[in-house]
Amino acid sequence: AQSVTQLGSHVSVSEGALVLLRCNYSSSVPPYLFWYVQYPNQGLQLLLKYTSAATLVKGINGFEAEFKKSETSFHLTKPSAHMSDAAEYFCAVSVAGNQFYFGTGTSLTVIP
Amino acid sequence: GAVVSQHPSRVICKSGTSVKIECRSLDFQATTMFWYRQFPKKSLMLMATSNEGSKATYEQGVEKDKFLINHASLTLSTLTVTSAHPEDSSFYICSANPIAGASYNEQFFGPGTRLTVL
């Protein structure tokens, strides 16, 4: 079975500071891992995905994530937060792109 | 590429009426589409998996007679909320999984439909 845990339902950072959003997964088979961003009243936009290629994945808007099998983690980072990064972020795991399992989400606040 | 649309984006209806929400994959074919429900400040809850040409698979606790799903073609799935009540008010999001291609292991999400039942 697959599951995702996102530590920290709310994260606040200052503009220009490092963004770190945590995601740990559980999967009985090699997983596909995803990070999505959701702005209010909108659908989900894919930030980046891991599909068994390079463990360090670069996504849009300056985000990246590193797959660490030994830690079963897929944390999302961005070196310098921008005001426009304020949104809800979801980590998800799937097996071969079929059923997705989402984390509970992390709300990112960027303080000017 | 890989765009999923939903219609309507927002709907307000009276209690007891039925509402149909459409999910379309605009530039790819999808044998499988998924319907999610999202409560305010909560994660996405998978309601059902819609399979083209066959019956949908519902998650535990989701009433199949209340949330009717039809996947009539490789680009269209519909969710009908029958006899809607205020507790059905929510944000409904669909996603589609491409049949093949570089993105076959992804799901592409629609923009969501905000349902308000008065």
Side-chain angles (χ1 to χ4, degrees):
Chain A
Q2 288 73 40
S3 67
V4 171
T5 301
Q6 288 183 244
L7 293 177
S9 58
H10 297 276
V11 171
S12 293
V13 299
S14 297
E15 189 175 15
L18 171 72
V19 176
L20 170 61
L21 304 182
R22 300 178 185 275
C23 173
N24 289 87
Y25 70 91
S26 172
S27 178
S28 55
V29 297
Y32 295 150
L33 294 160
F34 305 81
W35 274 101
Y36 289 90
V37 61
Q38 184 182 33
Y39 297 98
N41 293 312
Q42 294 186 26
L44 275 68
Q45 181 183 5
L46 180 67
L47 281 176
L48 48 80
K49 64 179 179 179
Y50 167 77
T51 57
S52 74
T55 56
L56 181 61
V57 181
K58 294 186 183 298
I60 62 172
N61 301 339
F63 285 95
E64 63 181 39
E66 186 173 7
F67 172 69
K68 292 187 177 181
K69 185 178 180 181
S70 61
E71 299 178 7
T72 61
S73 69
F74 191 57
H75 302 330
L76 181 70
T77 61
K78 181 174 180 178
S80 177
H82 191 272
M83 295 299 293
S84 61
D85 294 327
E88 190 81 18
Y89 291 80
F90 292 97
C91 182
V93 63
S94 80
V95 175
N98 205 337
Q99 188 167 336
F100 273 40
Y101 297 87
F102 284 90
T104 50
T106 298
S107 177
L108 175 65
T109 300
V110 181
I111 304 167
Chain B
V3 178
V4 175
S5 70
Q6 279 184 243
H7 178 78
S9 58
R10 186 180 297 267
V11 58
I12 301 173
C13 68
K14 293 182 178 180
S15 183
T17 61
S18 294
V19 175
K20 179 185 286 188
I21 303 170
E22 292 186 347
C23 177
R24 293 182 185 272
S25 55
L26 298 184
D27 49 4
F28 66 95
Q29 293 182 325
T31 53
T32 306
M33 291 184 174
F34 303 86
W35 286 96
Y36 297 84
R37 182 173 179 176
Q38 186 178 32
F39 293 98
K41 300 189 182 299
K42 296 291 185 182
S43 187
L44 281 73
M45 180 192 77
L46 179 65
M47 298 174 64
T49 302
S50 170
N51 303 297
E52 188 268 337
S54 64
K55 292 183 178 181
T57 303
Y58 291 81
E59 295 299 301
Q60 190 173 6
V62 178
E63 299 176 59
K64 62 178 67 175
D65 294 331
K66 179 164 190 63
F67 298 100
L68 300 179
I69 291 173
N70 182 276
H71 195 151
S73 75
L74 291 175
T75 59
L76 173 65
S77 175
T78 60
L79 169 68
T80 301
V81 183
T82 62
S83 186
H85 290 281
E87 58 266 29
D88 299 323
S89 298
S90 193
F91 194 55
Y92 292 88
I93 302 176
C94 74
S95 69
N97 182 218
I99 290 177
S103 300
Y104 76 93
N105 56 17
E106 281 188 47
Q107 287 188 21
F108 295 92
F109 288 82
T113 297
R114 172 74 60 194
L115 171 63
T116 303
V117 184
L118 302 177

